[in-house]
């Protein structure tokens, strides 16, 4: 998430009661919470939970949040992420229990029933209401549990109080949220509330577990909908209830109603089908697609239960009509590496390549809807289609935003903590908690069209007993999309082979990803872990470290910290270099506590550096090169008959804090070379180079047929001379198609470091342009020493590719013109860059940034969406790129555009 000021995370509230009306309905208790350590507030729960108990000196919260979020909101530990400030937070303060308290004014009507719904506790807690203990910590635990308590007899007309006695969270003991090795653990271990509790004020009937099932024709020409709900009778006598509502979207309104009798104190499941309401058979439904493949229409369900002539309760939600399936790809005997093939997902009958990243919430689980909207805009700008959630399930708002945006959510349990311990080590209370959390998670996710699968294991498959707990819960919740055993190449008793794999997580050169032959098949590891070349479905993998731009580094690292990044001692192989807190030595497996594994190949492939500026020049180019190759390889190999690539989850998309490791964009919305290399590979219609065989391939990621295209490849030596040109017409490309269109040979006599310029045109229009810097000397991978290892690649005796010729590029001269227009709340800055050099020197890796004029210090405009960036132009060439950002981000200043690059002088132009 971005580096938001305190106001962006929420502001303190007053200590006055939260006032609730007497109308029937469910209210999220987001306001009025206060917290205090039990070392300060030493009274017992029967006292703390009494209305009128004094909370003078307690911390006021803007919404339910973890203890660290509460402390930060109240001004403790400023600049928490700068340098190693995080280590200054005393952790002993969280060893004792803390109180969460809320005081409400409630005016219940006669006959009204009141329920307190607890939506998870990070840790465990005792619950008290108005001086009475309602729940014990043995039951009330788990980040994603949902437990409902009837407090009708405790609620009074007027002030009421809720108090939670919260124990420190511990993901080695409880089924809770955790961040594994992604970042340092929060000092409070994420203890406290994350999802707001709810107060339900119902009539004689409560409506629970309402949802819509869909039975879609294979060609999606029709959809039969079923509305299901549970009606609970809260009264002492049988109730005749009518469950009624509508399903609607623009131009469509489908009413339904069904009358049932619910015995006293019982719950009845009501199922409404097309037999009850013929309109639930929809002809030509509006179909939901991922954003690159179509539109995202949503239907709205509005439902109510009526009893005794009045509305007793109701529920509404949005959903999308779409069909998701999966299968294991065909095994070609003697050629397919995986004995069961690979997991292929299909949406609305169309197989597609998953391209996304792993999701991380803020380190302190703070949530901002605007921050999420900005991140979603980045992911779409990158041309990616999926986020993987390894645990850390988000507030519903994020999934609603993903539904509207057309992004896919790959959900599942996390690894490396209590969730993956054998179920035989779970006591009875933990098994009950697991069942509760599984059912609630399925409920939370099932109606979102963005959610297309669920992984019941991450590094490991669930054992048979655990799998039974999960599958029983998901069946009870009417889950309708594929469930997978493991994110690794493992099998479970019921779900069978996963067809997925994981890793690697550290530096590998571009040709690693493109290798797809027998050398990439592990001989001693049937889980295919750290066999990350582009085949199968890789649920987490990247080349490791991500070096933010210097603008970003200045926001969270001191000069001394920054000097550690480029320290020359980090060029002596894996494990070399100084310790850096913001890389963080999470564990021995990742081996990224030092930058040696990353910097050593950069040093040998690109040449030497002597300071941060010269290092950054190489690091940004190197990041772009690797990220582009990784995503392109998973597209380029997607049609391989024996070992097709079916998807890639880059590890990771974002990070919980400012980091030098595993992220495509920064916590502050920084866009480094990894960002723009990924973006280049994500073009809707894209031309690419195969590092394995030198082929030129074209991909169509849209749902439209692409025709009339021409691909051109130019080999250009380091001095700018065109040494060879190849061109071919591209056959018509259908949706998700990838074709090899050229097999050009590298011209004899070309320089050791050279360029390859690819263009894809339709008539005179450029559809895709892609520039590579290559070497006649290839990276030599020792595959026997590389496969199965988490530290990245081991080089063979042939050594590194030689890209040092880039160091000898002469100075290029560019000119730029920029202007800005206003579109609603956005500003759009257009920049035209021209290479006006007098010789053949390219302007290599030229980057544009939008700045605020006449602002001292940090004047970079973020977040921002570029159409392209870090471009390479030869003399006489020009390219126009655009940037979109919120007008408010200028903060009243005029926009400037700065240009920088590998071999151009820095310059700034006005962009009014």
């Amino acid at each position: 998430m971005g580096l938001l000021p305190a106001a962006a995370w929420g502001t303190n509230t007053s200590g006055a009661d939260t006032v609730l009306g007497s109308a029937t309905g469910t209210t999220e208790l987001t306001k009025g919470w206060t917290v205090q350590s039990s070392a300060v507030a030493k009274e017992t729960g029967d006292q703390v939970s009494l209305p009128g108990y004094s909370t003078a000196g307690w911390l006021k919260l803007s919404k339910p949040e973890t203890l660290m979020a509460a402390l930060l909101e109240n001004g403790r530990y400023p600049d928490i992420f700068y340098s190693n400030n995080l280590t200054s937070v005393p952790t002993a303060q969280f060893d004792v229990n803390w109180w969460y308290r809320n005081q409400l004014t409630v005016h219940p009507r006669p006959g009204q029933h009141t329920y307190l719904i607890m939506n998870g506790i990070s840790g465990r807690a005792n619950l008290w209401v108005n001086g009475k203990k309602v729940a014990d910590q043995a039951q009330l635990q788990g980040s994603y549990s949902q437990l409902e308590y009837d407090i009708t007899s405790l609620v009074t007309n007027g002030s009421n109080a809720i108090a939670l006695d919260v124990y420190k969270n511990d993901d080695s003991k409880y089924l809770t949220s955790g961040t594994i090795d992604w970042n340092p653990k929060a000092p409070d271990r994420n203890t406290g509330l994350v999802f707001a509790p709810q107060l339900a004020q119902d009539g004689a009937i409560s409506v629970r577990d309402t949802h819509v099932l869909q039975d879609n024709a294979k060609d999606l020409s029709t959809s039969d909908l079923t509305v299901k709900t549970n009606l609970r009778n809260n009264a002492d006598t049988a109730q005749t209830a009518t469950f009624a509502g509508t399903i609607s979207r623009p131009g469509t309104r489908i009413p339904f109603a069904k009358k049932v009798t619910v015995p006293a104190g019982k719950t009845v499941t009501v199922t409404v089908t097309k037999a009850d309401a013929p309109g639930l058979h929809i002809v030509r439904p509006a179909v939901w697609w991922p954003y690159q493949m179509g539109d995202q229409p949503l239907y709205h369900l509005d439902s109510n239960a009526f009893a005794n002539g009045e509305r007793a309760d109701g529920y509404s939600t949005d959903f999308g009509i779409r069909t998701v399936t999966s299968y294991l790809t065909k095994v070609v005997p003697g050629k397919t590496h995986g004995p069961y093939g690979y997991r292929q997902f299909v949406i609305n009958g169309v197989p597609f390549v998953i391209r996304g990243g792993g999701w991380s919430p803020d380190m302190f689980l703070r949530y901002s809807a605007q921050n999420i909207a900005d991140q979603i805009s980045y992911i779409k700008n990158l041309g990616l289609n999926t986020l993987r959630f390894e645990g850390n399930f988000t507030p519903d708002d994020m999934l609603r935003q993903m539904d509207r945006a057309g992004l896919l959510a790959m959900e599942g349990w996390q690894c490396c903590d209590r969730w993956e311990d054998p179920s035989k080590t779970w006591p009875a209370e933990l098994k009950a908690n697991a069942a509760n959390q599984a059912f609630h998670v399925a409920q939370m996710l099932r109606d979102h069209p963005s959610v297309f699968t669920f992984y019941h294991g991450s590094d490991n498959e669930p054992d048979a007993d655990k799998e039974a707990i999960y599958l029983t819960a998901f069946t009870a919740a009417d889950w309708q999309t594929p469930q997978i055993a493991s994110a690794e190449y493992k099998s479970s008793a019921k779900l069978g082979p996963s067809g997925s794999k994981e890793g690697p997580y550290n530096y590998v050169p571009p040709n690693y990803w493109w290798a797809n032959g027998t050398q990439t098949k592990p001989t001693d590891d049937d889980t295919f872990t750290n066999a990350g070349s582009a085949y199968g479905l890789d649920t987490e993998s990247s080349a490791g470290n991500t070096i933010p731009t210097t603008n970003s580094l200045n926001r969270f690292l001191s000069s001394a910290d920054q000097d550690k990044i480029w320290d020359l001692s980090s060029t002596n192989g894996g494990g070399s270099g100084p310790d850096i807190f913001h890389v963080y030595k999470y564990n021995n497996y990742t081996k990224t506590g030092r930058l040696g594994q990353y910097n050593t190949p950069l040093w040998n492939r690109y040449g030497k550096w002597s300071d941060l500026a010269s290092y950054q020049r190489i690091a940004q180019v190197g990041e772009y090169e690797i990220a582009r190759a990784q995503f392109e390889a998973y597209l380029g190999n997607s049609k391989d008959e024996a070992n097709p690539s079916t998807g890639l989850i880059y590890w990771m998309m974002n990070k919980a804090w400012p980091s030098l490791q595993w992220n495509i964009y920064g916590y502050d919305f920084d866009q480094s070379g990894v960002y723009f290399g990924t973006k280049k590979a994500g073009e809707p219609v894209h031309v690419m180079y195969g590092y394995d065989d030198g082929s030129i391939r074209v991909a169509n990621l849209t749902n439209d047929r692409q025709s009339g295209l021409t691909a051109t490849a130019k080999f250009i030596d380091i001095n700018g001379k065109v040494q060879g040109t190849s061109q071919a017409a591209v056959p018509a490309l259908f949706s998700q198609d990838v074709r090899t269109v050229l097999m050009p040979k590298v011209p004899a006599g070309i320089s050791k470091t050279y360029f390859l310029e690819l263009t894809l045109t339709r008539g005179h229009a450029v559809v895709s342009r892609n520039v590579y810097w290559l070497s006649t000397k290839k990276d030599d991978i020792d595959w026997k020493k590389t496969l199965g290892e988490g530290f990245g690649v081991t080089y063979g005796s042939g050594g590194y590719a030689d890209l040092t010729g880039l160091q000898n590029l002469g100075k290029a001269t560019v000119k730029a013109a920029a202007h800005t227009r206003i579109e609603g709340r956005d500003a759009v800055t257009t920049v035209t860059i021209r290479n006006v050099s007098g010789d053949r020197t390219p302007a290599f890796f030229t980057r544009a940034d939008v700045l605020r004029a006449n602002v001292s210090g940090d004047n970079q405009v973020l977040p921002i969406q570029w159409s392209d960036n870090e471009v390479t132009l030869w003399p006489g060439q020009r390219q126009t790129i655009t940037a979109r950002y919120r007008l408010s981000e200028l903060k009243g200043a005029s926009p400037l555009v700065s240009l920088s690059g590998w071999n151009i002088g820095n310059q700034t132009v006005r962009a009014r």
Side-chain angles (χ1 to χ4, degrees):
M1 291 182 166
L3 291 172
L4 297 180
W9 293 115
T11 54
N12 289 340
T13 60
S14 70
D17 282 17
T18 299
V19 180
L20 302 181
S22 59
T24 295
T26 300
T27 303
E28 285 200 344
L29 302 180
T30 57
K31 302 295 184 182
W33 290 96
T34 57
V35 296
Q36 183 58 277
S37 168
S38 65
V40 177
K42 298 182 179 180
E43 295 83 359
T44 56
D46 57 345
Q47 297 171 294
V48 175
S49 64
L50 287 175
Y53 172 87
S54 175
T55 56
W58 286 43
L59 302 179
K60 298 181 176 67
L61 311 185
S62 60
K63 56 187 175 184
E65 57 192 357
T66 65
L67 295 177
M68 270 301 298
L71 291 168
L72 293 172
E73 184 182 358
N74 283 270
R76 309 278 181 91
Y77 316 116
D79 300 321
I80 187 68
F81 290 144
Y82 187 79
S83 189
N84 64 349
N85 286 354
L86 185 66
T87 62
S88 68
V89 178
T91 58
Q93 64 184 309
F94 305 115
D95 291 340
V96 299
N97 287 17
W98 281 64
W99 288 106
Y100 279 72
R101 188 180 186 280
N102 202 338
Q103 190 156 307
L104 317 171
T105 296
V106 181
H107 299 293
R109 299 198 318 253
Q112 194 170 60
H113 300 262
T114 305
Y115 302 91
L116 180 61
I117 303 170
M118 296 301 303
N119 294 309
I121 290 285
S122 283
R124 53 197 175 107
N126 297 310
L127 171 64
W128 300 75
V129 176
N130 290 346
K132 302 294 184 181
K133 189 175 182 181
V134 172
D136 185 77
Q137 50 88 17
Q139 182 195 50
L140 185 51
Q141 59 177 272
S143 295
Y144 316 113
S145 59
Q146 186 176 75
L147 296 158
E148 182 172 341
Y149 302 101
D150 186 347
I151 59 172
T152 305
S153 64
L154 301 178
V155 172
T156 61
N157 185 18
S159 288
N160 298 265
I162 301 167
L164 288 159
D165 174 26
V166 180
Y167 293 70
K168 184 179 179 180
N169 191 29
D170 187 342
D171 60 10
S172 69
K173 296 179 180 178
Y174 318 127
L175 299 175
T176 184
S177 64
T179 49
I180 316 170
D181 56 4
W182 309 345
N183 46 263
K185 291 183 182 296
D188 66 342
R189 299 298 192 265
N190 296 136
T191 300
L193 290 176
V194 178
F195 302 99
Q198 296 166 296
L199 197 74
Q201 297 170 282
D202 300 342
I205 295 291
S206 290
V207 174
R208 297 292 186 267
D209 196 29
T210 308
H211 55 287
V212 178
L213 298 170
Q214 50 190 276
D215 181 11
N216 303 324
K218 187 174 182 179
D219 62 357
L220 288 143
S221 58
T222 63
S223 178
D224 290 332
L225 303 182
T226 298
V227 184
K228 289 184 69 175
T229 194
N230 288 333
L231 299 186
R232 184 180 66 208
N233 185 351
N234 304 317
D236 296 330
T237 59
Q239 298 289 314
T240 299
T242 299
F243 178 62
T246 58
I247 290 175
S248 61
R249 65 175 308 274
T252 299
R253 185 178 183 278
I254 304 167
F256 63 86
K258 194 166 187 176
K259 183 177 289 187
V260 296
T261 297
V262 186
K266 300 295 184 179
T267 296
V268 171
T269 298
V270 180
T271 302
V272 185
T273 70
K274 62 183 179 182
D276 306 297
L280 294 176
H281 173 75
I282 304 177
V283 178
R284 293 186 297 277
V287 177
W288 188 96
W289 290 90
Y291 79 97
Q292 292 145 318
M293 300 171 67
D295 297 326
Q296 295 79 48
L298 296 174
Y299 288 82
H300 180 73
L301 166 70
D302 185 60
S303 64
N304 295 283
F306 298 90
N308 301 320
E310 62 180 19
R311 179 183 181 273
D313 195 9
Y315 180 79
S316 63
T317 190
D318 292 332
F319 66 95
I321 293 177
R322 51 92 180 98
T323 301
V324 182
T325 57
S326 76
Y327 59 87
L328 293 170
T329 60
K330 181 181 177 181
V331 174
V332 178
K335 294 183 178 181
T336 301
H337 300 340
Y340 307 109
Y342 312 106
R343 182 64 54 182
Q344 173 70 66
F345 284 96
V346 180
I347 190 159
N348 299 331
V350 180
F352 68 102
V353 179
I354 292 169
R355 293 167 295 107
W359 169 256
S360 176
D362 169 74
M363 185 183 290
F364 311 119
L365 304 186
R366 296 172 291 184
Y367 184 83
S368 159
Q370 181 61 65
N371 180 270
I372 295 303
D374 289 336
Q375 293 197 57
I376 286 175
S377 73
Y378 264 37
I379 297 164
K380 292 181 68 171
N381 180 250
L382 286 161
L384 302 179
N385 58 23
T386 303
L387 282 175
R388 179 186 171 198
F389 298 88
E390 186 179 354
N392 290 288
F393 304 112
T394 66
D396 194 62
D397 173 78
M398 183 171 183
L399 290 175
R400 289 198 300 267
Q401 290 196 46
M402 293 178 69
D403 293 340
R404 296 192 296 269
L407 287 181
L408 295 167
M410 175 188 282
E411 304 275 1
W413 308 117
Q414 64 197 52
C415 84
C416 313
D417 55 18
R418 198 63 163 136
W419 288 104
E420 281 207 338
D421 287 347
S423 63
K424 65 183 180 182
T425 69
W426 289 0
E429 71 177 47
L430 209 63
K431 290 181 179 179
N433 185 249
N436 178 284
Q437 293 201 59
F439 181 71
H440 184 221
V441 164
Q443 284 182 309
M444 288 194 301
L445 302 179
R446 66 188 171 195
D447 283 335
H448 292 283
S450 56
V451 177
F452 71 102
T453 186
F454 196 92
Y455 276 71
H456 284 297
S458 181
D459 288 5
N460 295 312
E461 76 285 6
D463 58 58
D465 288 344
K466 187 188 299 183
E467 183 179 45
I469 292 173
Y470 292 157
L471 295 185
T472 298
F474 272 58
T475 298
D478 290 327
W479 188 265
Q480 287 197 287
T481 61
Q483 300 175 65
I484 312 300
S486 173
E488 288 194 356
Y489 203 87
K490 296 178 178 179
S491 303
S492 66
K494 295 292 185 181
L495 295 173
S498 73
S500 307
K501 63 178 185 176
E502 294 182 347
Y505 304 92
N506 280 291
Y507 185 89
V508 295
N511 61 341
Y512 174 97
W513 301 113
W514 278 91
N516 210 18
T518 56
Q519 76 275 29
T520 65
K521 179 181 181 180
T523 58
D524 58 355
D525 182 8
D526 58 7
T527 70
F528 292 84
T529 302
N530 295 314
S533 56
Y535 63 87
L537 173 57
D538 201 331
T539 59
E540 50 184 70
S541 184
S542 76
N545 294 97
T546 304
I547 307 303
T549 66
T550 300
N551 277 333
S552 181
L553 291 177
N554 289 337
R555 295 184 187 112
F556 70 95
L557 292 183
S558 67
S559 296
D561 292 331
Q562 293 183 41
D563 284 343
K564 292 180 181 179
I565 298 172
W566 63 269
D567 192 291
L568 299 184
S569 68
S570 66
T571 63
N572 296 316
S576 65
D579 284 324
I580 303 174
F581 182 63
H582 278 263
V583 176
Y584 207 82
K585 194 173 184 179
Y586 307 117
N587 56 43
N588 291 329
Y589 175 73
T590 55
K591 297 185 179 179
T592 53
R594 293 182 174 88
L595 274 165
Q597 186 68 28
Y598 190 78
N599 282 353
T600 301
L602 292 183
W603 178 271
N604 284 281
R605 297 176 80 245
Y606 283 96
K608 300 178 180 180
W609 55 78
S610 58
D611 55 18
L612 180 61
S614 56
Y615 170 78
Q616 276 284 34
R617 186 173 72 156
I618 290 172
Q620 297 303 315
V621 169
E623 288 180 9
Y624 186 111
E625 174 198 34
I626 305 165
R628 175 178 60 181
Q630 184 176 0
F631 278 101
E632 286 182 339
Y634 272 86
L635 285 174
N637 286 339
S638 62
K639 301 303 178 182
D640 186 284
E641 181 182 8
N643 294 291
S645 53
T646 59
L648 166 68
I649 296 297
Y650 189 95
W651 209 247
M652 298 176 71
M653 182 72 77
N654 66 334
K655 290 303 288 293
W657 70 323
S659 177
L660 306 176
Q661 173 193 3
W662 292 349
N663 49 260
I664 296 179
Y665 54 84
Y667 186 91
D668 58 352
F669 291 105
D670 177 54
Q671 298 167 325
S672 65
V674 166
Y675 185 96
F676 291 112
T678 301
K679 176 175 172 56
K680 177 56 65 176
E683 292 176 324
V685 183
H686 180 64
V687 62
M688 73 188 90
Y689 166 75
Y691 281 83
D692 55 342
D693 58 5
S695 63
I696 310 303
R697 307 181 197 190
V698 178
N700 173 22
L701 303 180
T702 74
N703 237 12
D704 299 322
R705 181 175 180 270
Q706 301 291 330
S707 59
L709 299 170
T710 300
T712 304
K714 287 186 180 180
F715 292 92
I716 307 171
D717 68 20
I718 200 68
N719 297 314
K721 183 178 180 181
V722 178
Q723 296 283 15
T725 301
S726 297
Q727 191 174 82
V730 178
L733 299 172
F734 295 93
S735 176
Q736 314 308 304
D737 201 0
V738 180
R739 296 283 189 92
T740 297
V741 298
L742 282 170
M743 292 290 295
K745 292 184 178 180
V746 180
I750 201 167
S751 53
K752 185 174 287 187
T753 304
Y754 64 94
F755 295 99
L756 174 63
E757 181 189 35
L758 303 180
T759 54
L760 187 67
T761 55
R762 182 180 284 114
H764 295 293
V766 176
V767 176
S768 173
R769 181 176 182 270
N770 206 351
V771 176
Y772 296 81
W773 41 102
L774 303 169
S775 175
T776 56
K777 182 176 182 292
K778 305 299 183 183
D779 289 289
D780 181 17
I781 298 172
D782 186 331
W783 286 100
K784 290 185 178 180
K785 294 181 179 179
T786 294
L787 287 182
E789 299 294 341
F791 53 69
V793 71
T794 295
Y795 275 85
S797 58
Y800 302 87
D802 187 351
L803 300 172
T804 59
L806 294 170
Q807 300 276 13
N808 301 321
L809 282 176
K811 287 290 183 181
T813 303
V814 300
K815 288 187 177 181
H819 72 273
T820 300
R821 67 181 186 273
I822 308 302
E823 294 185 359
R825 297 182 178 180
D826 289 349
V828 180
T829 296
T830 300
V831 187
T832 300
I833 306 169
R834 294 184 296 142
N835 185 339
V836 295
S837 303
D839 55 14
R840 296 182 298 201
T841 303
F844 177 55
F845 213 68
T846 300
R847 176 186 175 107
D849 286 287
V850 177
L851 310 176
R852 304 177 192 93
N854 302 317
V855 173
S856 60
D858 186 0
N859 65 344
Q860 186 182 17
V861 173
L862 293 173
I864 193 167
Q865 299 172 57
W866 286 96
S867 62
D868 198 359
N869 215 328
E870 294 179 338
V871 300
T872 297
L873 301 170
W874 278 267
Q877 290 184 332
R878 70 173 65 193
Q879 185 169 343
T880 298
I881 58 179
T882 60
R884 179 179 291 271
Y885 50 94
R886 283 191 295 275
L887 180 62
S888 60
E889 294 298 335
L890 288 173
K891 299 178 181 179
S894 298
L896 299 175
V897 171
S898 68
L899 293 181
S900 58
W902 182 277
N903 62 330
I904 68 168
N906 294 348
Q907 60 179 278
T908 303
V909 297
R910 292 184 177 274
R912 292 181 176 174

